[in-house]
Amino acid sequence: MAKQLLPVNFKDDILASSMGGKRRYNLIQNDDGTYSFEDVTEYTQTGSDFGAGQINATNKAVNESCDKADVIDDLEDIVANQANGKIAGAKSVATINKYLAETTITASMFAFQDFYNVMFLSCKKIGKTLFFSAELYYTGQESTMQPNQFYKLNNVDSVNSAVIPKYFNVLQITATNGSYTNAVNGFAMINKSGQIEFSFPSDPVAPTYLFISGIYETVN
């Protein structure tokens, strides 16, 4: 229901200068013995009527308007709210808009080590949720990766704050040879400093391509 619009063009009476600032009335005797007043004041402007109808309309509009106590400006309070009739304030809407805004993420933000060439990166960050998938070409700094040994995928000192996770997160990683065959699944993780580490199981792996992906919440 649309909010009722109230008039804002009320006018006051303006007495003619000849009245000397005072209204004039005639006293009229009625047939029943009572008396009535007849306004004989001269006006240069007649004021607006304002009575019960206008008061009732104003009160109705006030009753239908938003109560300050019903406006929620904190995003956490909006999420927790279970009551009807509450309204999200401008501050909380701005927070939501910022949260839903998409951030451009590039491969350089992950600061992959120089011996991993980025063949492909698909990365989208909406608010603080980051979705990424990458294919890396391994130039072979390690001739053979030892089983169950962790290797660092990126340079933690150069990781951009936009991709640093809020929590420790497990990622998915797979290695293949140069023909994209003999795929081996490994274990990968990204810590709260943005360092990505990975390892492969007991069989030694000499990968050519690494495929890594994950979804996690970032700090910023």
Side-chain angles (χ1 to χ4, degrees):
M1 181 176 175
K3 181 179 179 181
Q4 182 179 359
L5 297 179
L6 299 175
V8 290
N9 59 348
F10 285 96
K11 297 178 180 179
D12 290 323
D13 286 337
I14 299 178
L15 279 60
S17 58
S18 60
M19 297 293 98
K22 296 181 179 180
R23 298 177 188 268
R24 303 291 193 272
Y25 299 94
N26 283 332
L27 186 62
I28 301 173
Q29 185 172 7
N30 301 312
D31 294 340
D32 60 1
T34 61
Y35 292 90
S36 298
F37 291 97
E38 178 186 18
D39 187 359
V40 292
T41 308
E42 294 181 6
Y43 298 96
T44 57
Q45 174 179 287
T46 303
S48 306
D49 292 330
F50 192 86
Q54 288 73 33
I55 289 291
N56 289 337
T58 300
N59 289 349
K60 182 179 179 182
V62 170
N63 291 338
E64 292 175 349
S65 65
C66 171
D67 192 314
K68 183 179 180 180
D70 290 329
V71 179
I72 306 177
D73 264 319
D74 186 272
L75 189 57
E76 292 183 358
D77 290 341
I78 289 178
V79 174
N81 176 62
Q82 299 293 322
N84 294 326
K86 300 297 182 180
I87 302 171
K91 181 179 177 181
S92 58
V93 172
T95 302
I96 293 172
N97 184 63
K98 181 179 179 181
Y99 184 84
L100 295 178
E102 185 172 332
T103 303
T104 300
I105 301 295
T106 62
S108 63
M109 293 181 176
F110 287 97
F112 294 118
Q113 301 278 18
D114 291 340
F115 45 87
Y116 295 107
N117 294 333
V118 180
M119 307 297 293
F120 168 81
L121 176 71
S122 175
C123 192
K124 179 179 291 187
K125 183 179 178 184
I126 301 177
K128 293 185 178 181
T129 303
L130 187 145
F131 309 78
F132 86 98
S133 178
E135 176 185 353
L136 307 176
Y137 177 78
Y138 177 59
T139 61
Q141 186 197 45
E142 304 284 347
S143 57
T144 300
M145 289 185 177
Q146 299 301 312
N148 298 319
Q149 181 174 329
F150 277 93
Y151 295 89
K152 292 178 173 57
L153 194 61
N154 60 344
N155 182 357
V156 67
D157 294 329
S158 301
V159 174
N160 190 286
S161 60
V163 302
I164 293 179
K166 186 174 183 179
Y167 309 103
F168 172 95
N169 287 269
V170 175
L171 308 175
Q172 294 180 322
I173 190 167
T174 301
T176 72
N177 60 23
S179 301
Y180 293 105
T181 59
N182 296 330
V184 178
N185 294 321
F187 173 80
M189 61 184 177
I190 181 169
N191 63 29
K192 292 194 293 184
S193 296
Q195 180 80 70
I196 301 175
E197 296 183 274
F198 67 93
S199 69
F200 288 96
S202 57
D203 293 332
V205 176
T208 301
Y209 295 102
L210 295 178
F211 300 87
I212 186 166
S213 61
I215 302 173
Y216 61 86
E217 182 180 357
T218 60
V219 173
N220 298 321

